[in-house]
Amino acid sequence: MRFDELELEESVLDGLDAMNFQETTPVQALTIPLILQGKDIIACAQTGTGKTAAYVLPIINELSKGIHPANAVNAVIMAPTRELAQQIDQQIEGFTYFIPVSAVAVYGGTDGVAWEQQKRGMEMGADIVIATPGRLISHLKMGSADLSKASFFILDEADRMLDMGFFDDIMQIYKCLPKTCQTIMFSATMPPKIRTLAKTILKDPEEVKIAISRPPESIMQTAYICYDAQKIHILEQLFQQKPPERVIIFSSSKMKVKELTSVLKKMKLNAAAMHSDLDQPQRELVMKEFKNGHIDILVATDVVSRGIDINDIKLVVNFDIPHDPEDYVHRIGRTARAGGEGLAITFVAVEEQAKFKQIEDFLEKTIYKIPVDAAFGEAPAYEPELNKRFLKRRGSGRPQGSGKGGNSKGSSSSSRNRNRKNPANTK
């Protein structure tokens, strides 16, 4: 479907034409007409499907008609992270080039000057407020935000916000909105807690489900079944074979991210870390440098796995297994954007095999396992069911016993000793 087939104002279509937006994505074709009809919506669509434009365009369209209050907040868009809030703000700026609709992004991790700018933007009546829950509540408590005239309330990545513990914050903000407010929820997954939230805040909603979260076929998915101590050596070999360019390496802990970044820098590789301990200016600088190509490798926690639109990522490496299959999909979805191709490599240690098998089951496919170079020692067999039962008997931690790994053929205890010497090799 083309955008000019939708009931959008000419000024909105002019902006889309200037940005060379012609064809809608499936989620846009399904949701934009419903939002224009004033219906509450719960939509299941993953990152990369064009969901931001799916709710931003109809909201801008309605605000452009001039029938909403001047000098008042007319739309509230909630986002789980400041990075996603900034990205939404940038898209709105592009779409409103020919339209007198204003927006302000409200998020934490900034100095007093930014706070005052956010406060002034809301007090002057920015049409659209894009906010993280915690910072918006701070402004509400200080009396610098008035949501009593808002007509639209949007939750982007609602599942992520609930995972981050924002349920009470969302409800507190929701209670500050008028009962006539149109509410729109977007979520990549639809677990019971999302259903519960939807029943609480949505009025007779329409449900839109594009497809179950699956990575595009244009991503070549591969894995190494290895010991934990072998991971860094495999990574080093990969970058010796082909110099890294536009690479994201994901790890589940910020401590591991810091250690791994340090090790990569010692290898004379151009790497930078992205994690929650960085303040906002530092995070913005890292993202800017990576997007501009001044950084080859971004080592990150899941803070950048969702909602960040980075083009031309060549390779995604899962240094360890994410917490659930959906997180795996979001991680590797950073590559092969906009119809391109990409490569995803996952390192699977013995104790991670059961979780990796869950990912394969979720994807309903077997991911190709690349043989580990014999120079790094014997690799473990892929026996997820055996290791799952073993871990249950042990109760925790690393499997003990007859495995071999590392740089030499030794016992698994010797691998653990090597891990202690090099913290970047540990989980």
Side-chain angles (χ1 to χ4, degrees), residues 334-349:
R334 298 310 92 204
T335 188
R337 306 282 284 182
E341 296 182 346
L343 173 63
I345 299 175
T346 301
F347 295 157
V348 186

Side-chain angles (χ1 to χ4, degrees), residues 27 42-46 185-190 208-213:
V27 70
I42 177 168
C44 184
Q46 65 190 80
M185 281 178 57
F186 276 83
S187 181
T189 58
M190 208 64 69
V208 175
K209 191 170 184 179
I210 300 304
I212 190 167
S213 294

Side-chain angles (χ1 to χ4, degrees), residues 81-92:
T81 65
R82 66 195 75 176
E83 287 82 11
L84 181 54
Q86 290 171 323
Q87 179 182 313
I88 296 168
D89 187 37
Q90 290 168 2
Q91 288 206 31
I92 291 174

Side-chain angles (χ1 to χ4, degrees), residues 47-48 87 308-313 333-341:
T47 299
Q87 179 182 313
I308 302 299
D309 190 10
I310 307 172
N311 293 325
D312 303 323
I313 300 301
R334 298 310 92 204
T335 188
R337 306 282 284 182
E341 296 182 346

Side-chain angles (χ1 to χ4, degrees), residues 36 191 194 219 276 345 369 419:
L36 290 175
I194 287 293
I219 301 176
S276 58
I345 299 175
K369 281 79 174 177
N419 286 343

Side-chain angles (χ1 to χ4, degrees), residues 188-203:
T189 58
M190 208 64 69
K193 57 188 175 183
I194 287 293
R195 297 282 183 187
T196 300
L197 177 62
K199 289 178 181 179
T200 306
I201 68 174
L202 300 181
K203 303 176 289 294

Side-chain angles (χ1 to χ4, degrees), residues 332-375:
I332 71 170
R334 298 310 92 204
T335 188
R337 306 282 284 182
E341 296 182 346
L343 173 63
I345 299 175
T346 301
F347 295 157
V348 186
V350 175
E351 63 270 30
E352 298 174 308
Q353 289 188 13
K355 289 172 68 176
F356 187 68
K357 182 60 166 60
Q358 290 177 351
I359 291 172
E360 290 188 308
D361 291 344
F362 176 78
L363 299 176
E364 298 179 345
K365 68 180 294 182
T366 299
I367 295 174
Y368 175 69
K369 281 79 174 177
I370 304 173
V372 175
D373 193 320

